[in-house]
Amino acid sequence: MKITRLETIYLPDYPSILFVAVHTDAGLTGYADTCYMPEAVAGYIHQFAAPMLIGHDPLAIELHWRRLYEVIAHTVGKGAELRGLSAIDVCLWDILGQAAGMPVWQVLGGAVRDRIRTYNTCGGPNYGRAAKGSVGYGTDGAHGKYEDLIAFMERPGELAQELLAEGLTGMKLWPFDYVAHYPGGGDNWRAFRGMFDPNIRSLGGHDITAADMNRALEPFRQIRKAVGDKMEIMVEGHGLWSLPAALKIARALEEFSPAWLEDMMRADDIDALAELRQGTTCPILASEYLATRYEYKPLLEKQAADIVMIDPTWAGGITECKKVCAMAEVYKRPVAMHDCTGPLTLYAGIHLAINATNAIYQESVRAYMRVNYPDLVTELPVIENGNFLAPTKPGLGTALLPDIRTREGAVVRVS
Ligand SMILES: [Mg+2]
């Protein structure tokens, strides 16, 4: 079997995502998506990766990873290049699974579990779309169905009850973000913040006042009041805080026993993360911002996190993420898989989580599962009682809907 074509698809409705397809002369096609700066990723794929792959055996996955990575490493490239490599790698695993007639988790070495727990990341359908130019509060301010981002600020207790009734026993929220952003952040963030307090003065994540802290703690009070300890609460920090502020927030959250504090600081200073972990009893999770074994290594060596978060199409694809899982296991750390972007990344994470002995969660966004993903792929992963079931079809177990190539404004490039 040989790789014949690499295809990238950009849809204006999903402006941060690039969809990738690897085609073969056997008629098998592997799919993936990756998020952020899609044009730069497409440039990497067509200009650089395609000439290295076309005509080669798609099943030599480990070799292709190393060949592509070595040149990326020479150029000190990590962002767009590594996301492109990650997406290509997921496509190749999809092809391998289809060629073997088995789900990807099976060709990874089999299932250690038949399902993986999930929790609801409380973003709305427009979370990723509206977040252009800002992080944290991507919302158009509409109070539509599954607009869980607004719900966790306005009616957190009710939202917790609603999720519990669906069988979901974990929810992730980020009620501290709006204090951290500098004035002049993205328009969507400004619109959102204005809904709550137009006069708030941001301290840029370097401090938080007692009044802002009090207000940001309110959702935690209401969730515990409404559902007690039936709900696990994950706290997202989006890397916005400096160490003293992160410590202040962590200590204030201790009484609510959160499942974890995620990326309270950017993962660009592992020593600071280790200091945060030493300074609080809350479990520290890091980080979807890290990529490849080489970045996870210091995190583990310096004992800077309790739980390791991995995004399959940011960190190096399925090949690399399986190794990161194994590395985390050496340090007695569980892993959690990231999803807040595209459906094929979610599938890649589920297969990894079904196979990795130390996986504890696969993230999901119910708004994406119900509004965005059905608009993009042929199959959706099955959630039963708060767990993703192991996919049963060969490969990833889903494919891009064929019509997306002809949608208005779609940009399709083929090498
Ligand atoms: Mg996160």
Side-chain angles (χ1 to χ4, degrees):
M1 183 162 40
K2 286 192 167 41
I3 297 170
T4 52
R5 285 179 296 136
L6 269 69
E7 182 185 23
T8 58
I9 303 158
Y10 168 82
L11 299 174
D13 271 353
Y14 301 88
S16 297
I17 299 181
L18 186 74
F19 300 95
V20 181
V22 174
H23 300 273
T24 65
D25 62 0
L28 301 179
T29 299
Y31 289 103
D33 52 49
T34 186
C35 185
Y36 291 136
M37 299 172 201
E39 266 189 64
V41 179
Y44 161 79
I45 287 176
H46 292 289
Q47 197 171 27
F48 181 82
M52 290 184 72
L53 293 171
I54 290 169
H56 288 265
D57 175 7
L59 305 189
I61 298 174
E62 192 73 42
L63 175 65
H64 294 317
W65 197 97
R66 181 47 59 180
R67 287 167 70 229
L68 292 169
Y69 178 73
E70 276 179 359
V71 188
I72 289 175
H74 279 286
T75 60
V76 206
K78 196 193 84 174
E81 297 97 320
L82 199 70
R83 288 171 192 205
L85 165 53
S86 300
I88 290 167
D89 182 83
V90 170
C91 291
L92 298 184
W93 280 95
D94 189 16
I95 292 169
L96 171 59
Q98 292 175 53
M102 296 173 182
V104 168
W105 56 257
Q106 182 66 68
V107 289
L108 279 169
V112 301
R113 57 182 66 79
D114 67 356
R115 63 198 62 209
I116 182 75
R117 262 191 309 175
T118 189
Y119 60 91
N120 186 54
T121 286
C122 297
N126 285 318
Y127 180 49
R129 282 184 262 211
K132 273 186 297 180
S134 73
V135 289
Y137 284 107
T139 169
D140 52 12
H143 288 59
K145 208 174 182 197
Y146 307 125
E147 191 39 88
D148 293 342
L149 201 160
I150 293 175
F152 83 64
M153 293 295 280
E154 291 188 348
R155 46 177 194 94
E158 221 176 281
L159 176 63
Q161 281 163 335
E162 200 179 301
L163 295 171
L164 266 186
E166 285 189 16
L168 288 158
T169 54
M171 62 193 288
K172 184 153 83 190
L173 40 151
W174 41 103
F176 296 93
D177 280 29
Y178 75 102
V179 189
H181 292 287
Y182 283 107
D187 287 343
N188 295 298
W189 153 74
R190 263 204 300 277
F192 184 83
R193 203 177 64 171
M195 287 166 55
F196 293 95
D197 181 358
N199 300 314
I200 192 169
R201 283 221 307 267
S202 170
L203 299 166
H206 296 291
D207 198 8
I208 178 167
T209 65
D212 287 334
M213 178 77 84
N214 192 33
R215 178 167 38 191
L217 291 176
E218 191 54 26
F220 299 93
R221 293 188 195 107
Q222 291 191 30
I223 292 167
R224 286 286 177 249
K225 194 171 156 216
V227 298
D229 60 4
K230 291 196 185 82
M231 182 61 77
E232 295 282 335
I233 311 176
M234 292 76 173
V235 185
E236 173 66 82
H238 287 127
L240 293 169
W241 299 93
S242 61
L243 180 59
L247 276 166
K248 234 188 203 183
I249 293 169
R251 287 168 184 158
L253 283 168
E254 284 172 2
E255 66 170 296
F256 301 103
S257 304
W260 67 59
L261 307 190
E262 173 169 346
D263 291 327
M264 296 308 291
M265 300 180 289
R266 282 187 303 275
D268 51 10
D269 184 343
I270 300 299
D271 290 317
L273 266 179
E275 221 177 309
L276 172 63
R277 181 169 174 259
Q278 289 305 318
T280 177
T281 58
C282 294
I284 298 299
L285 174 143
S287 170
E288 70 203 45
Y289 305 145
L290 297 172
T292 76
R293 281 159 282 170
Y294 311 111
E295 289 193 357
Y296 282 96
K297 180 172 178 265
L299 182 84
L300 293 163
E301 283 178 345
K302 294 184 175 181
Q303 302 170 25
D306 297 281
I307 303 150
V308 174
M309 179 69 98
I310 307 171
D311 184 298
T313 59
W314 289 346
I318 290 174
T319 304
E320 189 67 2
C321 293
K322 182 171 165 70
K323 294 173 186 176
V324 174
C325 293
M327 268 175 61
E329 193 185 24
V330 172
Y331 288 85
K332 309 265 186 287
R333 269 19 181 212
V335 298
M337 308 308 295
H338 179 239
D339 162 57
C340 205
T341 56
L344 297 148
T345 296
L346 170 62
Y347 262 95
I350 294 171
H351 286 282
L352 280 160
I354 292 296
N355 168 253
T357 51
N358 52 339
I360 56 167
Y361 271 115
Q362 167 65 62
E363 181 174 12
S364 62
V365 187
R366 66 175 183 159
Y368 284 20
M369 287 283 291
R370 290 172 197 174
V371 181
N372 301 356
Y373 293 172
D375 182 43
L376 295 167
V377 287
T378 56
E379 308 273 337
L380 289 176
V382 179
I383 295 186
E384 200 181 275
N385 211 14
N387 289 266
F388 279 111
L389 303 187
T392 53
K393 296 202 167 161
L396 289 178
T398 194
L400 284 178
L401 288 167
D403 83 283
I404 70 164
R405 291 172 173 86
T406 51
R407 286 185 196 171
E408 201 183 331
V411 180
V412 181
R413 290 177 66 184
V414 180
S415 283

PDB file of all heavy atoms in Angstrom, residues 8-31:
ATOM      1  N   THR A   8      -6.147  18.672   2.654  1.00  0.00           N
ATOM      2  CA  THR A   8      -6.560  19.481   3.811  1.00  0.00           C
ATOM      3  C   THR A   8      -7.858  20.202   3.476  1.00  0.00           C
ATOM      4  O   THR A   8      -8.074  20.607   2.329  1.00  0.00           O
ATOM      5  CB  THR A   8      -5.495  20.526   4.200  1.00  0.00           C
ATOM      6  OG1 THR A   8      -5.231  21.373   3.078  1.00  0.00           O
ATOM      7  CG2 THR A   8      -4.205  19.857   4.656  1.00  0.00           C
ATOM      8  N   ILE A   9      -8.712  20.327   4.483  1.00  0.00           N
ATOM      9  CA  ILE A   9     -10.020  20.966   4.277  1.00  0.00           C
ATOM     10  C   ILE A   9     -10.229  21.989   5.380  1.00  0.00           C
ATOM     11  O   ILE A   9     -10.094  21.666   6.578  1.00  0.00           O
ATOM     12  CB  ILE A   9     -11.153  19.921   4.309  1.00  0.00           C
ATOM     13  CG1 ILE A   9     -10.909  18.843   3.244  1.00  0.00           C
ATOM     14  CG2 ILE A   9     -12.516  20.587   4.090  1.00  0.00           C
ATOM     15  CD1 ILE A   9     -11.619  17.543   3.510  1.00  0.00           C
ATOM     16  N   TYR A  10     -10.557  23.194   4.967  1.00  0.00           N
ATOM     17  CA  TYR A  10     -10.852  24.277   5.904  1.00  0.00           C
ATOM     18  C   TYR A  10     -12.300  24.711   5.706  1.00  0.00           C
ATOM     19  O   TYR A  10     -12.739  24.908   4.574  1.00  0.00           O
ATOM     20  CB  TYR A  10      -9.905  25.454   5.650  1.00  0.00           C
ATOM     21  CG  TYR A  10     -10.310  26.718   6.376  1.00  0.00           C
ATOM     22  CD1 TYR A  10      -9.966  26.906   7.710  1.00  0.00           C
ATOM     23  CD2 TYR A  10     -11.058  27.704   5.732  1.00  0.00           C
ATOM     24  CE1 TYR A  10     -10.359  28.054   8.392  1.00  0.00           C
ATOM     25  CE2 TYR A  10     -11.456  28.856   6.410  1.00  0.00           C
ATOM     26  CZ  TYR A  10     -11.106  29.014   7.734  1.00  0.00           C
ATOM     27  OH  TYR A  10     -11.499  30.143   8.407  1.00  0.00           O
ATOM     28  N   LEU A  11     -13.038  24.825   6.812  1.00  0.00           N
ATOM     29  CA  LEU A  11     -14.438  25.261   6.739  1.00  0.00           C
ATOM     30  C   LEU A  11     -14.598  26.565   7.524  1.00  0.00           C
ATOM     31  O   LEU A  11     -14.241  26.621   8.697  1.00  0.00           O
ATOM     32  CB  LEU A  11     -15.359  24.198   7.360  1.00  0.00           C
ATOM     33  CG  LEU A  11     -15.354  22.806   6.719  1.00  0.00           C
ATOM     34  CD1 LEU A  11     -16.208  21.854   7.539  1.00  0.00           C
ATOM     35  CD2 LEU A  11     -15.859  22.880   5.282  1.00  0.00           C
ATOM     36  N   PRO A  12     -15.155  27.592   6.881  1.00  0.00           N
ATOM     37  CA  PRO A  12     -15.295  28.883   7.565  1.00  0.00           C
ATOM     38  C   PRO A  12     -16.118  28.791   8.856  1.00  0.00           C
ATOM     39  O   PRO A  12     -15.909  29.577   9.774  1.00  0.00           O
ATOM     40  CB  PRO A  12     -16.015  29.759   6.541  1.00  0.00           C
ATOM     41  CG  PRO A  12     -15.933  29.060   5.244  1.00  0.00           C
ATOM     42  CD  PRO A  12     -15.647  27.630   5.493  1.00  0.00           C
ATOM     43  N   ASP A  13     -17.033  27.801   8.935  1.00  0.00           N
ATOM     44  CA  ASP A  13     -17.842  27.648  10.143  1.00  0.00           C
ATOM     45  C   ASP A  13     -17.018  27.159  11.336  1.00  0.00           C
ATOM     46  O   ASP A  13     -17.472  27.239  12.481  1.00  0.00           O
ATOM     47  CB  ASP A  13     -18.973  26.633   9.903  1.00  0.00           C
ATOM     48  CG  ASP A  13     -20.210  27.314   9.358  1.00  0.00           C
ATOM     49  OD1 ASP A  13     -20.218  28.559   9.297  1.00  0.00           O
ATOM     50  OD2 ASP A  13     -21.156  26.593   8.983  1.00  0.00           O
ATOM     51  N   TYR A  14     -15.860  26.593  11.074  1.00  0.00           N
ATOM     52  CA  TYR A  14     -14.985  26.078  12.142  1.00  0.00           C
ATOM     53  C   TYR A  14     -13.603  26.688  11.938  1.00  0.00           C
ATOM     54  O   TYR A  14     -12.657  26.003  11.558  1.00  0.00           O
ATOM     55  CB  TYR A  14     -14.942  24.538  12.113  1.00  0.00           C
ATOM     56  CG  TYR A  14     -16.323  23.946  12.284  1.00  0.00           C
ATOM     57  CD1 TYR A  14     -17.150  23.721  11.179  1.00  0.00           C
ATOM     58  CD2 TYR A  14     -16.821  23.673  13.557  1.00  0.00           C
ATOM     59  CE1 TYR A  14     -18.436  23.222  11.340  1.00  0.00           C
ATOM     60  CE2 TYR A  14     -18.106  23.171  13.727  1.00  0.00           C
ATOM     61  CZ  TYR A  14     -18.909  22.950  12.607  1.00  0.00           C
ATOM     62  OH  TYR A  14     -20.177  22.462  12.779  1.00  0.00           O
ATOM     63  N   PRO A  15     -13.480  27.990  12.199  1.00  0.00           N
ATOM     64  CA  PRO A  15     -12.319  28.736  11.699  1.00  0.00           C
ATOM     65  C   PRO A  15     -10.982  28.362  12.331  1.00  0.00           C
ATOM     66  O   PRO A  15      -9.938  28.740  11.802  1.00  0.00           O
ATOM     67  CB  PRO A  15     -12.680  30.193  12.031  1.00  0.00           C
ATOM     68  CG  PRO A  15     -13.682  30.114  13.125  1.00  0.00           C
ATOM     69  CD  PRO A  15     -14.440  28.843  12.914  1.00  0.00           C
ATOM     70  N   SER A  16     -11.002  27.628  13.436  1.00  0.00           N
ATOM     71  CA  SER A  16      -9.723  27.271  14.058  1.00  0.00           C
ATOM     72  C   SER A  16      -9.232  25.889  13.642  1.00  0.00           C
ATOM     73  O   SER A  16      -8.111  25.510  13.952  1.00  0.00           O
ATOM     74  CB  SER A  16      -9.856  27.301  15.584  1.00  0.00           C
ATOM     75  OG  SER A  16     -10.167  28.606  16.014  1.00  0.00           O
ATOM     76  N   ILE A  17     -10.090  25.118  12.977  1.00  0.00           N
ATOM     77  CA  ILE A  17      -9.773  23.699  12.765  1.00  0.00           C
ATOM     78  C   ILE A  17      -9.306  23.447  11.332  1.00  0.00           C
ATOM     79  O   ILE A  17      -9.821  24.042  10.386  1.00  0.00           O
ATOM     80  CB  ILE A  17     -11.020  22.829  13.066  1.00  0.00           C
ATOM     81  CG1 ILE A  17     -11.431  23.033  14.530  1.00  0.00           C
ATOM     82  CG2 ILE A  17     -10.739  21.352  12.790  1.00  0.00           C
ATOM     83  CD1 ILE A  17     -12.631  22.203  14.939  1.00  0.00           C
ATOM     84  N   LEU A  18      -8.340  22.557  11.186  1.00  0.00           N
ATOM     85  CA  LEU A  18      -7.974  22.050   9.871  1.00  0.00           C
ATOM     86  C   LEU A  18      -8.270  20.549   9.843  1.00  0.00           C
ATOM     87  O   LEU A  18      -7.832  19.806  10.725  1.00  0.00           O
ATOM     88  CB  LEU A  18      -6.486  22.273   9.576  1.00  0.00           C
ATOM     89  CG  LEU A  18      -6.091  21.882   8.146  1.00  0.00           C
ATOM     90  CD1 LEU A  18      -6.600  22.911   7.132  1.00  0.00           C
ATOM     91  CD2 LEU A  18      -4.580  21.726   8.003  1.00  0.00           C
ATOM     92  N   PHE A  19      -9.033  20.120   8.849  1.00  0.00           N
ATOM     93  CA  PHE A  19      -9.308  18.694   8.657  1.00  0.00           C
ATOM     94  C   PHE A  19      -8.274  18.141   7.674  1.00  0.00           C
ATOM     95  O   PHE A  19      -7.922  18.818   6.698  1.00  0.00           O
ATOM     96  CB  PHE A  19     -10.730  18.492   8.127  1.00  0.00           C
ATOM     97  CG  PHE A  19     -11.762  19.035   9.082  1.00  0.00           C
ATOM     98  CD1 PHE A  19     -12.273  20.323   8.925  1.00  0.00           C
ATOM     99  CD2 PHE A  19     -12.177  18.288  10.174  1.00  0.00           C
ATOM    100  CE1 PHE A  19     -13.195  20.843   9.825  1.00  0.00           C
ATOM    101  CE2 PHE A  19     -13.110  18.794  11.073  1.00  0.00           C
ATOM    102  CZ  PHE A  19     -13.612  20.081  10.899  1.00  0.00           C
ATOM    103  N   VAL A  20      -7.813  16.936   7.954  1.00  0.00           N
ATOM    104  CA  VAL A  20      -6.729  16.348   7.151  1.00  0.00           C
ATOM    105  C   VAL A  20      -7.151  14.948   6.722  1.00  0.00           C
ATOM    106  O   VAL A  20      -7.738  14.200   7.507  1.00  0.00           O
ATOM    107  CB  VAL A  20      -5.417  16.288   7.972  1.00  0.00           C
ATOM    108  CG1 VAL A  20      -4.278  15.706   7.134  1.00  0.00           C
ATOM    109  CG2 VAL A  20      -5.036  17.682   8.481  1.00  0.00           C
ATOM    110  N   ALA A  21      -6.849  14.608   5.473  1.00  0.00           N
ATOM    111  CA  ALA A  21      -7.097  13.245   4.986  1.00  0.00           C
ATOM    112  C   ALA A  21      -5.846  12.745   4.279  1.00  0.00           C
ATOM    113  O   ALA A  21      -5.208  13.488   3.524  1.00  0.00           O
ATOM    114  CB  ALA A  21      -8.292  13.229   4.025  1.00  0.00           C
ATOM    115  N   VAL A  22      -5.481  11.497   4.569  1.00  0.00           N
ATOM    116  CA  VAL A  22      -4.390  10.836   3.847  1.00  0.00           C
ATOM    117  C   VAL A  22      -5.018   9.728   3.018  1.00  0.00           C
ATOM    118  O   VAL A  22      -5.719   8.857   3.562  1.00  0.00           O
ATOM    119  CB  VAL A  22      -3.336  10.273   4.829  1.00  0.00           C
ATOM    120  CG1 VAL A  22      -2.287   9.450   4.064  1.00  0.00           C
ATOM    121  CG2 VAL A  22      -2.665  11.405   5.615  1.00  0.00           C
ATOM    122  N   HIS A  23      -4.815   9.774   1.706  1.00  0.00           N
ATOM    123  CA  HIS A  23      -5.399   8.787   0.788  1.00  0.00           C
ATOM    124  C   HIS A  23      -4.334   7.778   0.358  1.00  0.00           C
ATOM    125  O   HIS A  23      -3.151   8.107   0.282  1.00  0.00           O
ATOM    126  CB  HIS A  23      -5.967   9.493  -0.448  1.00  0.00           C
ATOM    127  CG  HIS A  23      -7.038  10.491  -0.125  1.00  0.00           C
ATOM    128  ND1 HIS A  23      -8.368  10.153  -0.003  1.00  0.00           N
ATOM    129  CD2 HIS A  23      -6.981  11.833   0.126  1.00  0.00           C
ATOM    130  CE1 HIS A  23      -9.080  11.240   0.299  1.00  0.00           C
ATOM    131  NE2 HIS A  23      -8.255  12.268   0.376  1.00  0.00           N
ATOM    132  N   THR A  24      -4.816   6.558   0.036  1.00  0.00           N
ATOM    133  CA  THR A  24      -3.893   5.494  -0.370  1.00  0.00           C
ATOM    134  C   THR A  24      -4.351   4.850  -1.675  1.00  0.00           C
ATOM    135  O   THR A  24      -5.513   4.998  -2.076  1.00  0.00           O
ATOM    136  CB  THR A  24      -3.852   4.378   0.692  1.00  0.00           C
ATOM    137  OG1 THR A  24      -5.153   3.758   0.737  1.00  0.00           O
ATOM    138  CG2 THR A  24      -3.507   4.927   2.065  1.00  0.00           C
ATOM    139  N   ASP A  25      -3.439   4.097  -2.297  1.00  0.00           N
ATOM    140  CA  ASP A  25      -3.795   3.405  -3.538  1.00  0.00           C
ATOM    141  C   ASP A  25      -4.643   2.158  -3.271  1.00  0.00           C
ATOM    142  O   ASP A  25      -5.093   1.497  -4.209  1.00  0.00           O
ATOM    143  CB  ASP A  25      -2.536   3.053  -4.346  1.00  0.00           C
ATOM    144  CG  ASP A  25      -1.613   2.111  -3.595  1.00  0.00           C
ATOM    145  OD1 ASP A  25      -1.930   1.730  -2.444  1.00  0.00           O
ATOM    146  OD2 ASP A  25      -0.555   1.757  -4.158  1.00  0.00           O
ATOM    147  N   ALA A  26      -4.847   1.819  -1.990  1.00  0.00           N
ATOM    148  CA  ALA A  26      -5.708   0.678  -1.652  1.00  0.00           C
ATOM    149  C   ALA A  26      -7.151   1.123  -1.440  1.00  0.00           C
ATOM    150  O   ALA A  26      -8.012   0.314  -1.068  1.00  0.00           O
ATOM    151  CB  ALA A  26      -5.193  -0.016  -0.393  1.00  0.00           C
ATOM    152  N   GLY A  27      -7.394   2.418  -1.620  1.00  0.00           N
ATOM    153  CA  GLY A  27      -8.755   2.931  -1.432  1.00  0.00           C
ATOM    154  C   GLY A  27      -9.068   3.292   0.009  1.00  0.00           C
ATOM    155  O   GLY A  27     -10.188   3.722   0.305  1.00  0.00           O
ATOM    156  N   LEU A  28      -8.111   3.112   0.908  1.00  0.00           N
ATOM    157  CA  LEU A  28      -8.348   3.489   2.305  1.00  0.00           C
ATOM    158  C   LEU A  28      -7.960   4.946   2.507  1.00  0.00           C
ATOM    159  O   LEU A  28      -6.961   5.414   1.951  1.00  0.00           O
ATOM    160  CB  LEU A  28      -7.525   2.604   3.254  1.00  0.00           C
ATOM    161  CG  LEU A  28      -7.783   1.099   3.176  1.00  0.00           C
ATOM    162  CD1 LEU A  28      -6.868   0.352   4.151  1.00  0.00           C
ATOM    163  CD2 LEU A  28      -9.252   0.794   3.476  1.00  0.00           C
ATOM    164  N   THR A  29      -8.745   5.646   3.316  1.00  0.00           N
ATOM    165  CA  THR A  29      -8.462   7.042   3.638  1.00  0.00           C
ATOM    166  C   THR A  29      -8.449   7.198   5.149  1.00  0.00           C
ATOM    167  O   THR A  29      -9.358   6.721   5.836  1.00  0.00           O
ATOM    168  CB  THR A  29      -9.545   7.963   3.041  1.00  0.00           C
ATOM    169  OG1 THR A  29      -9.534   7.815   1.619  1.00  0.00           O
ATOM    170  CG2 THR A  29      -9.285   9.426   3.379  1.00  0.00           C
ATOM    171  N   GLY A  30      -7.408   7.842   5.661  1.00  0.00           N
ATOM    172  CA  GLY A  30      -7.338   8.140   7.092  1.00  0.00           C
ATOM    173  C   GLY A  30      -7.690   9.593   7.323  1.00  0.00           C
ATOM    174  O   GLY A  30      -7.333  10.466   6.524  1.00  0.00           O
ATOM    175  N   TYR A  31      -8.416   9.859   8.425  1.00  0.00           N
ATOM    176  CA  TYR A  31      -8.862  11.230   8.714  1.00  0.00           C
ATOM    177  C   TYR A  31      -8.330  11.711  10.056  1.00  0.00           C
ATOM    178  O   TYR A  31      -8.108  10.913  10.980  1.00  0.00           O
ATOM    179  CB  TYR A  31     -10.392  11.293   8.750  1.00  0.00           C
ATOM    180  CG  TYR A  31     -11.039  11.130   7.398  1.00  0.00           C
ATOM    181  CD1 TYR A  31     -11.629   9.921   7.030  1.00  0.00           C
ATOM    182  CD2 TYR A  31     -11.043  12.186   6.496  1.00  0.00           C
ATOM    183  CE1 TYR A  31     -12.232   9.771   5.788  1.00  0.00           C
ATOM    184  CE2 TYR A  31     -11.648  12.030   5.241  1.00  0.00           C
ATOM    185  CZ  TYR A  31     -12.232  10.839   4.906  1.00  0.00           C
ATOM    186  OH  TYR A  31     -12.822  10.699   3.681  1.00  0.00           O
TER     187      TYR A  31
END
